[in-house]
Amino acid sequence: MSTGFFDGITQVTFEGADSTNPMAFRHYNPDEVVMGKRMEDHLRFAVAWWHSFAWEGGDPFGGQTFERPWYPQDSMENARTKADVAFEMFQILGVPFYCWHDADIRPETGNFADNLATLNEITDYMADKQAATGVKCLWGTANMFSHRRWMAGAATNPDPDVFAFAAATVKSCIDATQKLGGENYVLWGGREGYETLLNTDLKQELDHLGRFLNMVVDYKHKIGFKGTILVEPKPQEPSKHQYDYDAATCIGFLRKYGLEGEVKLNLEQGHAILAGHSFEHEVAVAAAEGMFGSIDMNRNDYQSGWDTDQFPNNVPEVALAYYHILRAGGFETGGTNFDARLRRQSLDPGDLIAAHVGAMDICARGLKAAAAMLEDRGLEDALSERYAGWREPQAQAMLDSDLEEISRRVLDANTNPEPRSGKQEVLENYLNRFV
Ligand code: XLS
Ligand code: NI
Ligand code: NI
């Protein structure tokens, strides 16, 4: 039975690039084959429960702006209504996946045993809805940043009782993710960081975080959870300085604590920007280390300097991200999660649908452009040309020699290398042919 929340809005379908229907896809055509694979299987879209259903429209200056039939979010009855509407939206959009935090799907009681009971109850309800609709869980996670108990961190909290609460919480969320057949489990360290070194033992906190993640991996193996464990880098917000700053920092951390073969990265567009990187940089860094896992697709406002979590709408940016994803072999267990929320003035149920329709279309355009560039090989050939010197046996041999030998060679040959154009503008023009 329909909740009536999306009254008048029917299943969104592909109508082609000429369509002027705002509730139709112009580029996202799930069955269209791109580089030998259906678009739906490439992109693996997921809706984020927190932004679409749990966030009430507040900002630092004002509270709730949305009015939803599942508010206040403090009862199981309302949690079930929220789930009903969520699954209706997944079906209207035709998205294959969704993602959740414990705090998004069940009411917060403040007590672990009650939270566990309601988590189990609501995930049973969601499992039934998955079976009825075919929509699947891309990943689950624990919200260990909103409640005041987490204000000084979860696994990095100076209070061992909070570390314990965090361990129990993550265990409960991995169990629930496994029950829902989730393909990944994500850890984003929202308050794993610090405000001031005046009160923080940074080394001890990092050691606790490393130990905590090892416990997560051990537990995954113990229960036979088949999904991938992912960590999500972000440089700041809510903590002033977060330990999972960016992809490179996370990779160094994972290596230090012996987790490089076990944990991959969930990269977010807006977090890359906050870290002073481009999104494709983050993807390329993770891919180069074999640690690319999944993406949280969104965008930031370039003027505000905040994590504004807007829906993506920049094709060239998105195309470059998918270019590096495709180049790395595409998603395995990962996917494209819309970690994006409406603007707080976008009150209507239709806004929620339109936001996702636009975002899915932008991603489809990005994917198609990325695939076309890869198939055309223009960028690959330019790269191959630029590094051609390294294919010479002499150049390769140099990597096995040492500074003295190389320096003798330079003197003997009286080498004086002539610089060559990096052709950035030529390559930018090339890219613009595809987007
Ligand atoms: C917040 C994060 C969060 C994670 C999941 O900035 O992006 O939404 O994806 O906890
Ligand atoms: Ni984010
Ligand atoms: Ni995210």
Side-chain angles (χ1 to χ4, degrees):
M1 208 189 64
S2 154
T3 62
F5 182 69
F6 292 111
D7 233 7
I9 300 175
T10 51
Q11 164 97 50
V12 178
T13 56
F14 173 71
E15 291 185 5
D18 295 334
S19 172
T20 55
N21 175 0
M23 293 298 195
F25 296 122
R26 301 190 306 125
H27 299 277
Y28 180 59
N29 183 8
D31 290 322
E32 188 176 320
V33 174
V34 175
M35 287 180 76
K37 206 177 185 180
R38 292 172 63 250
M39 230 188 234
E40 181 178 76
D41 301 332
H42 268 297
L43 292 162
R44 293 168 60 83
F45 285 135
V47 166
W49 204 287
W50 50 104
H51 285 318
S52 287
F53 310 112
W55 179 63
E56 300 185 342
D59 72 5
F61 300 91
Q64 173 195 340
T65 58
F66 302 146
E67 282 169 353
R68 307 293 196 220
W70 58 92
Y71 294 175
Q73 302 184 62
D74 59 359
S75 70
M76 279 305 285
E77 191 192 337
N78 284 348
R80 276 189 295 272
T81 305
K82 185 162 53 170
D84 293 342
V85 169
F87 276 85
E88 275 171 25
M89 186 167 103
F90 307 154
Q91 287 185 283
I92 288 172
L93 293 169
V95 287
F97 295 103
Y98 70 97
C99 303
W100 54 271
H101 300 81
D102 50 356
D104 311 330
I105 56 178
R106 52 110 181 102
E108 172 68 52
T109 58
N111 162 320
F112 185 74
D114 290 345
N115 279 350
L116 179 62
T118 49
L119 179 69
N120 289 337
E121 191 182 329
I122 196 70
T123 46
D124 282 343
Y125 190 72
M126 287 155 60
D128 288 345
K129 295 204 152 273
Q130 287 191 182
T133 59
V135 179
K136 294 172 285 184
C137 170
L138 185 66
W139 49 263
T141 188
N143 176 330
M144 300 197 295
F145 43 89
S146 293
H147 192 278
R148 63 195 291 277
R149 80 174 66 89
W150 309 119
M151 69 181 186
T156 63
N157 202 292
D159 180 351
D161 284 346
V162 179
F163 181 99
F165 206 107
T169 300
V170 168
K171 177 190 175 297
S172 72
C173 289
I174 297 178
D175 289 342
T177 304
Q178 186 181 36
K179 175 169 79 184
L180 293 171
E183 301 196 17
N184 308 270
Y185 182 83
V186 167
L187 295 113
W188 169 59
R191 296 196 191 267
E192 311 292 28
Y194 62 87
E195 302 302 318
T196 171
L197 280 176
L198 294 174
N199 65 12
T200 303
D201 185 337
L202 183 146
K203 182 181 179 324
Q204 185 169 1
E205 292 200 357
L206 282 169
D207 284 347
H208 290 178
L209 189 58
R211 183 69 198 114
F212 189 90
L213 259 187
N214 268 286
M215 288 185 199
V216 168
V217 167
D218 288 347
Y219 185 65
K220 161 195 156 149
H221 290 304
K222 177 153 192 231
I223 64 170
F225 174 61
K226 294 276 167 291
T228 311
I229 304 289
L230 301 168
V231 295
E232 184 175 320
K234 185 176 182 180
Q236 72 268 338
E237 236 188 74
S239 302
K240 177 171 163 52
H241 186 110
Q242 295 195 183
Y243 296 134
D244 294 339
Y245 194 95
D246 61 0
T249 309
C250 285
I251 289 166
F253 173 87
L254 293 173
R255 289 232 156 90
K256 175 171 181 202
Y257 293 97
L259 292 161
E260 63 273 24
E262 296 281 0
V263 179
K264 292 185 171 168
L265 302 181
N266 181 43
L267 302 168
E268 179 162 324
Q269 211 277 356
H271 297 182
I273 305 304
L274 283 180
H277 301 308
S278 65
F279 193 23
E280 67 268 22
H281 167 86
E282 290 292 87
V283 174
V285 167
E289 302 282 345
M291 291 195 208
F292 172 72
S294 197
I295 61 171
D296 274 4
M297 182 55 96
N298 56 22
R299 83 178 199 280
N300 279 5
D301 182 306
Y302 283 97
Q303 279 108 60
S304 76
W306 295 347
D307 187 17
T308 57
D309 287 336
Q310 288 167 258
F311 285 88
N313 79 349
N314 183 321
V315 180
E317 267 178 13
V318 169
L320 277 173
Y322 282 116
Y323 185 83
H324 286 277
I325 291 171
L326 288 179
R327 210 167 169 257
F331 294 121
E332 287 174 22
T333 60
T336 303
N337 169 44
F338 291 115
D339 195 348
R341 59 174 183 250
L342 293 172
R343 298 306 86 194
R344 69 197 294 266
Q345 298 180 52
S346 303
L347 303 178
D348 301 340
D351 292 325
L352 208 42
I353 303 292
H356 284 90
V357 169
M360 290 162 79
D361 255 353
I362 291 290
C363 290
R365 279 175 72 180
L367 176 83
K368 285 192 288 186
M373 283 192 289
L374 263 181
E375 281 174 332
D376 186 71
R377 294 201 51 83
L379 293 177
E380 297 304 306
D381 288 346
L383 267 192
S384 162
E385 226 273 298
R386 191 162 193 227
Y387 291 86
W390 284 101
R391 286 197 291 274
E392 299 302 323
Q394 255 193 340
Q396 282 302 314
M398 178 168 66
L399 295 177
D400 290 325
S401 66
D402 55 41
L403 293 189
E404 285 173 306
E405 198 185 316
I406 296 172
S407 121
R408 262 195 307 276
R409 215 180 101 185
V410 171
L411 283 172
D412 288 352
N414 195 17
T415 317
N416 189 10
E418 199 48 50
R420 295 166 60 202
S421 170
K423 294 193 176 11
Q424 181 168 336
E425 296 78 5
V426 172
L427 295 171
E428 284 169 352
N429 295 351
Y430 172 82
L431 169 73
N432 286 334
R433 275 172 39 206
F434 294 85
V435 297

PDB file of all heavy atoms in Angstrom, residues 48 50-51 101 139 186 188 232-234 266-269 271 295-298 307 309 337-340, ligand 3:
ATOM      1  N   ALA A  48      21.090   7.819  -0.171  1.00  0.00           N
ATOM      2  CA  ALA A  48      21.535   7.922   1.226  1.00  0.00           C
ATOM      3  C   ALA A  48      20.334   8.228   2.123  1.00  0.00           C
ATOM      4  O   ALA A  48      19.690   9.270   1.966  1.00  0.00           O
ATOM      5  CB  ALA A  48      22.583   9.023   1.360  1.00  0.00           C
ATOM      6  N   TRP A  50      20.196   9.065   5.213  1.00  0.00           N
ATOM      7  CA  TRP A  50      20.298  10.196   6.150  1.00  0.00           C
ATOM      8  C   TRP A  50      19.876  11.508   5.512  1.00  0.00           C
ATOM      9  O   TRP A  50      19.073  12.248   6.093  1.00  0.00           O
ATOM     10  CB  TRP A  50      21.704  10.293   6.758  1.00  0.00           C
ATOM     11  CG  TRP A  50      22.881  10.255   5.832  1.00  0.00           C
ATOM     12  CD1 TRP A  50      23.658  11.308   5.448  1.00  0.00           C
ATOM     13  CD2 TRP A  50      23.439   9.094   5.195  1.00  0.00           C
ATOM     14  NE1 TRP A  50      24.664  10.886   4.612  1.00  0.00           N
ATOM     15  CE2 TRP A  50      24.556   9.532   4.435  1.00  0.00           C
ATOM     16  CE3 TRP A  50      23.118   7.744   5.185  1.00  0.00           C
ATOM     17  CZ2 TRP A  50      25.332   8.663   3.679  1.00  0.00           C
ATOM     18  CZ3 TRP A  50      23.899   6.881   4.432  1.00  0.00           C
ATOM     19  CH2 TRP A  50      24.982   7.340   3.692  1.00  0.00           C
ATOM     20  N   HIS A  51      20.406  11.816   4.339  1.00  0.00           N
ATOM     21  CA  HIS A  51      20.092  13.118   3.756  1.00  0.00           C
ATOM     22  C   HIS A  51      18.651  13.177   3.260  1.00  0.00           C
ATOM     23  O   HIS A  51      17.995  14.210   3.366  1.00  0.00           O
ATOM     24  CB  HIS A  51      21.019  13.412   2.578  1.00  0.00           C
ATOM     25  CG  HIS A  51      22.403  13.782   2.995  1.00  0.00           C
ATOM     26  ND1 HIS A  51      22.657  14.619   4.049  1.00  0.00           N
ATOM     27  CD2 HIS A  51      23.612  13.436   2.493  1.00  0.00           C
ATOM     28  CE1 HIS A  51      23.970  14.777   4.173  1.00  0.00           C
ATOM     29  NE2 HIS A  51      24.563  14.066   3.249  1.00  0.00           N
ATOM     30  N   HIS A 101      22.776   4.799   8.113  1.00  0.00           N
ATOM     31  CA  HIS A 101      23.381   4.757   9.451  1.00  0.00           C
ATOM     32  C   HIS A 101      22.303   4.214  10.391  1.00  0.00           C
ATOM     33  O   HIS A 101      21.114   4.470  10.180  1.00  0.00           O
ATOM     34  CB  HIS A 101      23.704   6.140  10.024  1.00  0.00           C
ATOM     35  CG  HIS A 101      24.653   6.994   9.248  1.00  0.00           C
ATOM     36  ND1 HIS A 101      24.278   7.728   8.162  1.00  0.00           N
ATOM     37  CD2 HIS A 101      25.963   7.271   9.453  1.00  0.00           C
ATOM     38  CE1 HIS A 101      25.324   8.422   7.718  1.00  0.00           C
ATOM     39  NE2 HIS A 101      26.358   8.160   8.481  1.00  0.00           N
ATOM     40  N   TRP A 139      25.672  -0.244   1.431  1.00  0.00           N
ATOM     41  CA  TRP A 139      26.438  -0.307   2.680  1.00  0.00           C
ATOM     42  C   TRP A 139      25.662   0.226   3.863  1.00  0.00           C
ATOM     43  O   TRP A 139      24.727   1.018   3.714  1.00  0.00           O
ATOM     44  CB  TRP A 139      27.800   0.368   2.586  1.00  0.00           C
ATOM     45  CG  TRP A 139      27.969   1.756   2.012  1.00  0.00           C
ATOM     46  CD1 TRP A 139      28.341   2.054   0.736  1.00  0.00           C
ATOM     47  CD2 TRP A 139      27.875   3.030   2.696  1.00  0.00           C
ATOM     48  NE1 TRP A 139      28.469   3.408   0.589  1.00  0.00           N
ATOM     49  CE2 TRP A 139      28.205   4.036   1.772  1.00  0.00           C
ATOM     50  CE3 TRP A 139      27.555   3.418   4.005  1.00  0.00           C
ATOM     51  CZ2 TRP A 139      28.206   5.402   2.085  1.00  0.00           C
ATOM     52  CZ3 TRP A 139      27.549   4.772   4.333  1.00  0.00           C
ATOM     53  CH2 TRP A 139      27.876   5.736   3.375  1.00  0.00           C
ATOM     54  N   VAL A 186      30.883   0.759   5.891  1.00  0.00           N
ATOM     55  CA  VAL A 186      31.678   1.995   5.855  1.00  0.00           C
ATOM     56  C   VAL A 186      31.950   2.520   7.266  1.00  0.00           C
ATOM     57  O   VAL A 186      31.097   2.444   8.149  1.00  0.00           O
ATOM     58  CB  VAL A 186      30.937   3.082   5.030  1.00  0.00           C
ATOM     59  CG1 VAL A 186      31.554   4.465   5.232  1.00  0.00           C
ATOM     60  CG2 VAL A 186      30.967   2.725   3.539  1.00  0.00           C
ATOM     61  N   TRP A 188      33.161   6.143   8.656  1.00  0.00           N
ATOM     62  CA  TRP A 188      33.589   7.530   8.489  1.00  0.00           C
ATOM     63  C   TRP A 188      33.810   8.085   9.903  1.00  0.00           C
ATOM     64  O   TRP A 188      32.893   8.078  10.727  1.00  0.00           O
ATOM     65  CB  TRP A 188      32.536   8.371   7.757  1.00  0.00           C
ATOM     66  CG  TRP A 188      32.867   9.833   7.841  1.00  0.00           C
ATOM     67  CD1 TRP A 188      34.005  10.434   7.383  1.00  0.00           C
ATOM     68  CD2 TRP A 188      32.093  10.856   8.471  1.00  0.00           C
ATOM     69  NE1 TRP A 188      33.981  11.775   7.679  1.00  0.00           N
ATOM     70  CE2 TRP A 188      32.818  12.056   8.342  1.00  0.00           C
ATOM     71  CE3 TRP A 188      30.861  10.876   9.109  1.00  0.00           C
ATOM     72  CZ2 TRP A 188      32.359  13.271   8.854  1.00  0.00           C
ATOM     73  CZ3 TRP A 188      30.393  12.076   9.620  1.00  0.00           C
ATOM     74  CH2 TRP A 188      31.134  13.265   9.478  1.00  0.00           C
ATOM     75  N   GLU A 232      36.243   6.270   5.045  1.00  0.00           N
ATOM     76  CA  GLU A 232      35.902   7.439   4.222  1.00  0.00           C
ATOM     77  C   GLU A 232      36.715   8.643   4.676  1.00  0.00           C
ATOM     78  O   GLU A 232      36.503   9.174   5.765  1.00  0.00           O
ATOM     79  CB  GLU A 232      34.398   7.712   4.359  1.00  0.00           C
ATOM     80  CG  GLU A 232      33.919   8.851   3.480  1.00  0.00           C
ATOM     81  CD  GLU A 232      32.409   9.028   3.542  1.00  0.00           C
ATOM     82  OE1 GLU A 232      31.681   8.010   3.557  1.00  0.00           O
ATOM     83  OE2 GLU A 232      31.959  10.185   3.588  1.00  0.00           O
ATOM     84  N   PRO A 233      37.650   9.107   3.846  1.00  0.00           N
ATOM     85  CA  PRO A 233      38.467  10.257   4.230  1.00  0.00           C
ATOM     86  C   PRO A 233      37.675  11.564   4.239  1.00  0.00           C
ATOM     87  O   PRO A 233      36.762  11.761   3.430  1.00  0.00           O
ATOM     88  CB  PRO A 233      39.535  10.334   3.126  1.00  0.00           C
ATOM     89  CG  PRO A 233      39.409   9.093   2.313  1.00  0.00           C
ATOM     90  CD  PRO A 233      38.015   8.587   2.511  1.00  0.00           C
ATOM     91  N   LYS A 234      38.055  12.435   5.161  1.00  0.00           N
ATOM     92  CA  LYS A 234      37.520  13.802   5.200  1.00  0.00           C
ATOM     93  C   LYS A 234      38.474  14.623   6.062  1.00  0.00           C
ATOM     94  O   LYS A 234      38.853  14.169   7.140  1.00  0.00           O
ATOM     95  CB  LYS A 234      36.104  13.811   5.796  1.00  0.00           C
ATOM     96  CG  LYS A 234      35.435  15.179   5.752  1.00  0.00           C
ATOM     97  CD  LYS A 234      33.994  15.123   6.258  1.00  0.00           C
ATOM     98  CE  LYS A 234      33.325  16.482   6.154  1.00  0.00           C
ATOM     99  NZ  LYS A 234      31.935  16.456   6.639  1.00  0.00           N
ATOM    100  N   ASN A 266      36.221   4.703   0.676  1.00  0.00           N
ATOM    101  CA  ASN A 266      34.997   5.287   0.130  1.00  0.00           C
ATOM    102  C   ASN A 266      35.272   6.778  -0.020  1.00  0.00           C
ATOM    103  O   ASN A 266      35.403   7.497   0.971  1.00  0.00           O
ATOM    104  CB  ASN A 266      33.816   5.046   1.080  1.00  0.00           C
ATOM    105  CG  ASN A 266      32.534   5.622   0.523  1.00  0.00           C
ATOM    106  OD1 ASN A 266      32.248   5.490  -0.662  1.00  0.00           O
ATOM    107  ND2 ASN A 266      31.744   6.287   1.361  1.00  0.00           N
ATOM    108  N   LEU A 267      35.388   7.242  -1.251  1.00  0.00           N
ATOM    109  CA  LEU A 267      35.812   8.624  -1.505  1.00  0.00           C
ATOM    110  C   LEU A 267      34.623   9.506  -1.822  1.00  0.00           C
ATOM    111  O   LEU A 267      33.716   9.101  -2.551  1.00  0.00           O
ATOM    112  CB  LEU A 267      36.787   8.636  -2.681  1.00  0.00           C
ATOM    113  CG  LEU A 267      38.027   7.776  -2.459  1.00  0.00           C
ATOM    114  CD1 LEU A 267      38.797   7.605  -3.766  1.00  0.00           C
ATOM    115  CD2 LEU A 267      38.920   8.399  -1.392  1.00  0.00           C
ATOM    116  N   GLU A 268      34.656  10.721  -1.261  1.00  0.00           N
ATOM    117  CA  GLU A 268      33.526  11.638  -1.464  1.00  0.00           C
ATOM    118  C   GLU A 268      33.992  12.892  -2.183  1.00  0.00           C
ATOM    119  O   GLU A 268      34.984  13.519  -1.800  1.00  0.00           O
ATOM    120  CB  GLU A 268      32.910  11.981  -0.104  1.00  0.00           C
ATOM    121  CG  GLU A 268      31.741  12.939  -0.207  1.00  0.00           C
ATOM    122  CD  GLU A 268      30.881  12.939   1.052  1.00  0.00           C
ATOM    123  OE1 GLU A 268      30.717  11.855   1.654  1.00  0.00           O
ATOM    124  OE2 GLU A 268      30.401  14.004   1.430  1.00  0.00           O
ATOM    125  N   GLN A 269      33.224  13.283  -3.192  1.00  0.00           N
ATOM    126  CA  GLN A 269      33.572  14.447  -4.012  1.00  0.00           C
ATOM    127  C   GLN A 269      33.836  15.669  -3.132  1.00  0.00           C
ATOM    128  O   GLN A 269      34.881  16.293  -3.210  1.00  0.00           O
ATOM    129  CB  GLN A 269      32.452  14.718  -5.016  1.00  0.00           C
ATOM    130  CG  GLN A 269      32.905  15.317  -6.341  1.00  0.00           C
ATOM    131  CD  GLN A 269      33.081  16.830  -6.292  1.00  0.00           C
ATOM    132  OE1 GLN A 269      32.796  17.465  -5.298  1.00  0.00           O
ATOM    133  NE2 GLN A 269      33.566  17.400  -7.365  1.00  0.00           N
ATOM    134  N   HIS A 271      34.444  15.981   0.023  1.00  0.00           N
ATOM    135  CA  HIS A 271      35.554  15.851   0.971  1.00  0.00           C
ATOM    136  C   HIS A 271      36.884  16.084   0.260  1.00  0.00           C
ATOM    137  O   HIS A 271      37.813  16.654   0.838  1.00  0.00           O
ATOM    138  CB  HIS A 271      35.565  14.461   1.608  1.00  0.00           C
ATOM    139  CG  HIS A 271      34.346  14.165   2.431  1.00  0.00           C
ATOM    140  ND1 HIS A 271      34.180  12.986   3.130  1.00  0.00           N
ATOM    141  CD2 HIS A 271      33.229  14.885   2.669  1.00  0.00           C
ATOM    142  CE1 HIS A 271      33.017  12.997   3.761  1.00  0.00           C
ATOM    143  NE2 HIS A 271      32.420  14.145   3.488  1.00  0.00           N
ATOM    144  N   ILE A 295      32.253   5.313  -4.049  1.00  0.00           N
ATOM    145  CA  ILE A 295      32.214   6.781  -3.970  1.00  0.00           C
ATOM    146  C   ILE A 295      30.918   7.299  -3.346  1.00  0.00           C
ATOM    147  O   ILE A 295      29.854   6.703  -3.484  1.00  0.00           O
ATOM    148  CB  ILE A 295      32.419   7.473  -5.350  1.00  0.00           C
ATOM    149  CG1 ILE A 295      31.331   7.098  -6.355  1.00  0.00           C
ATOM    150  CG2 ILE A 295      33.798   7.193  -5.889  1.00  0.00           C
ATOM    151  CD1 ILE A 295      31.383   7.945  -7.645  1.00  0.00           C
ATOM    152  N   ASP A 296      31.076   8.427  -2.656  1.00  0.00           N
ATOM    153  CA  ASP A 296      29.951   9.238  -2.227  1.00  0.00           C
ATOM    154  C   ASP A 296      29.921  10.416  -3.190  1.00  0.00           C
ATOM    155  O   ASP A 296      30.812  11.274  -3.177  1.00  0.00           O
ATOM    156  CB  ASP A 296      30.146   9.735  -0.783  1.00  0.00           C
ATOM    157  CG  ASP A 296      29.656   8.718   0.231  1.00  0.00           C
ATOM    158  OD1 ASP A 296      29.248   7.612  -0.170  1.00  0.00           O
ATOM    159  OD2 ASP A 296      29.680   9.033   1.438  1.00  0.00           O
ATOM    160  N   MET A 297      28.916  10.429  -4.036  1.00  0.00           N
ATOM    161  CA  MET A 297      28.859  11.446  -5.081  1.00  0.00           C
ATOM    162  C   MET A 297      28.051  12.640  -4.565  1.00  0.00           C
ATOM    163  O   MET A 297      26.910  12.495  -4.122  1.00  0.00           O
ATOM    164  CB  MET A 297      28.222  10.838  -6.335  1.00  0.00           C
ATOM    165  CG  MET A 297      28.150  11.776  -7.506  1.00  0.00           C
ATOM    166  SD  MET A 297      29.749  12.474  -7.944  1.00  0.00           S
ATOM    167  CE  MET A 297      30.256  11.368  -9.247  1.00  0.00           C
ATOM    168  N   ASN A 298      28.644  13.808  -4.629  1.00  0.00           N
ATOM    169  CA  ASN A 298      27.941  15.053  -4.303  1.00  0.00           C
ATOM    170  C   ASN A 298      28.789  16.199  -4.842  1.00  0.00           C
ATOM    171  O   ASN A 298      29.657  15.984  -5.682  1.00  0.00           O
ATOM    172  CB  ASN A 298      27.691  15.184  -2.788  1.00  0.00           C
ATOM    173  CG  ASN A 298      28.956  15.089  -1.949  1.00  0.00           C
ATOM    174  OD1 ASN A 298      30.057  15.324  -2.422  1.00  0.00           O
ATOM    175  ND2 ASN A 298      28.795  14.740  -0.689  1.00  0.00           N
ATOM    176  N   ASP A 307      31.187  21.594   3.809  1.00  0.00           N
ATOM    177  CA  ASP A 307      30.736  20.343   3.198  1.00  0.00           C
ATOM    178  C   ASP A 307      29.232  20.505   2.957  1.00  0.00           C
ATOM    179  O   ASP A 307      28.414  20.114   3.782  1.00  0.00           O
ATOM    180  CB  ASP A 307      31.016  19.189   4.168  1.00  0.00           C
ATOM    181  CG  ASP A 307      30.737  17.835   3.549  1.00  0.00           C
ATOM    182  OD1 ASP A 307      30.637  17.749   2.314  1.00  0.00           O
ATOM    183  OD2 ASP A 307      30.628  16.865   4.308  1.00  0.00           O
ATOM    184  N   ASP A 309      27.322  19.227   0.668  1.00  0.00           N
ATOM    185  CA  ASP A 309      26.608  18.006   0.241  1.00  0.00           C
ATOM    186  C   ASP A 309      25.499  18.286  -0.770  1.00  0.00           C
ATOM    187  O   ASP A 309      24.370  17.818  -0.619  1.00  0.00           O
ATOM    188  CB  ASP A 309      26.015  17.272   1.456  1.00  0.00           C
ATOM    189  CG  ASP A 309      27.077  16.580   2.296  1.00  0.00           C
ATOM    190  OD1 ASP A 309      28.154  16.263   1.759  1.00  0.00           O
ATOM    191  OD2 ASP A 309      26.824  16.355   3.493  1.00  0.00           O
ATOM    192  N   ASN A 337      27.043   6.335  -4.303  1.00  0.00           N
ATOM    193  CA  ASN A 337      26.054   6.705  -3.290  1.00  0.00           C
ATOM    194  C   ASN A 337      25.854   8.216  -3.316  1.00  0.00           C
ATOM    195  O   ASN A 337      26.823   8.973  -3.201  1.00  0.00           O
ATOM    196  CB  ASN A 337      26.561   6.268  -1.908  1.00  0.00           C
ATOM    197  CG  ASN A 337      25.724   6.839  -0.781  1.00  0.00           C
ATOM    198  OD1 ASN A 337      24.493   6.830  -0.849  1.00  0.00           O
ATOM    199  ND2 ASN A 337      26.368   7.355   0.247  1.00  0.00           N
ATOM    200  N   PHE A 338      24.604   8.653  -3.449  1.00  0.00           N
ATOM    201  CA  PHE A 338      24.334  10.097  -3.430  1.00  0.00           C
ATOM    202  C   PHE A 338      24.318  10.592  -1.999  1.00  0.00           C
ATOM    203  O   PHE A 338      23.274  10.660  -1.354  1.00  0.00           O
ATOM    204  CB  PHE A 338      23.037  10.420  -4.163  1.00  0.00           C
ATOM    205  CG  PHE A 338      23.155  10.194  -5.637  1.00  0.00           C
ATOM    206  CD1 PHE A 338      22.416   9.210  -6.261  1.00  0.00           C
ATOM    207  CD2 PHE A 338      24.058  10.930  -6.391  1.00  0.00           C
ATOM    208  CE1 PHE A 338      22.558   8.979  -7.621  1.00  0.00           C
ATOM    209  CE2 PHE A 338      24.214  10.703  -7.749  1.00  0.00           C
ATOM    210  CZ  PHE A 338      23.469   9.722  -8.363  1.00  0.00           C
ATOM    211  N   ASP A 339      25.517  10.927  -1.506  1.00  0.00           N
ATOM    212  CA  ASP A 339      25.621  11.505  -0.163  1.00  0.00           C
ATOM    213  C   ASP A 339      25.336  12.999  -0.334  1.00  0.00           C
ATOM    214  O   ASP A 339      26.214  13.846  -0.192  1.00  0.00           O
ATOM    215  CB  ASP A 339      27.035  11.242   0.383  1.00  0.00           C
ATOM    216  CG  ASP A 339      27.107  11.466   1.874  1.00  0.00           C
ATOM    217  OD1 ASP A 339      26.151  12.034   2.429  1.00  0.00           O
ATOM    218  OD2 ASP A 339      28.126  11.083   2.485  1.00  0.00           O
ATOM    219  N   ALA A 340      24.096  13.306  -0.683  1.00  0.00           N
ATOM    220  CA  ALA A 340      23.719  14.663  -1.084  1.00  0.00           C
ATOM    221  C   ALA A 340      22.346  14.999  -0.529  1.00  0.00           C
ATOM    222  O   ALA A 340      21.479  14.135  -0.421  1.00  0.00           O
ATOM    223  CB  ALA A 340      23.699  14.755  -2.610  1.00  0.00           C
TER     224      ALA A 340
HETATM  225 NI    NI B   3      29.990  10.484   2.822  1.00  0.00          NI
END
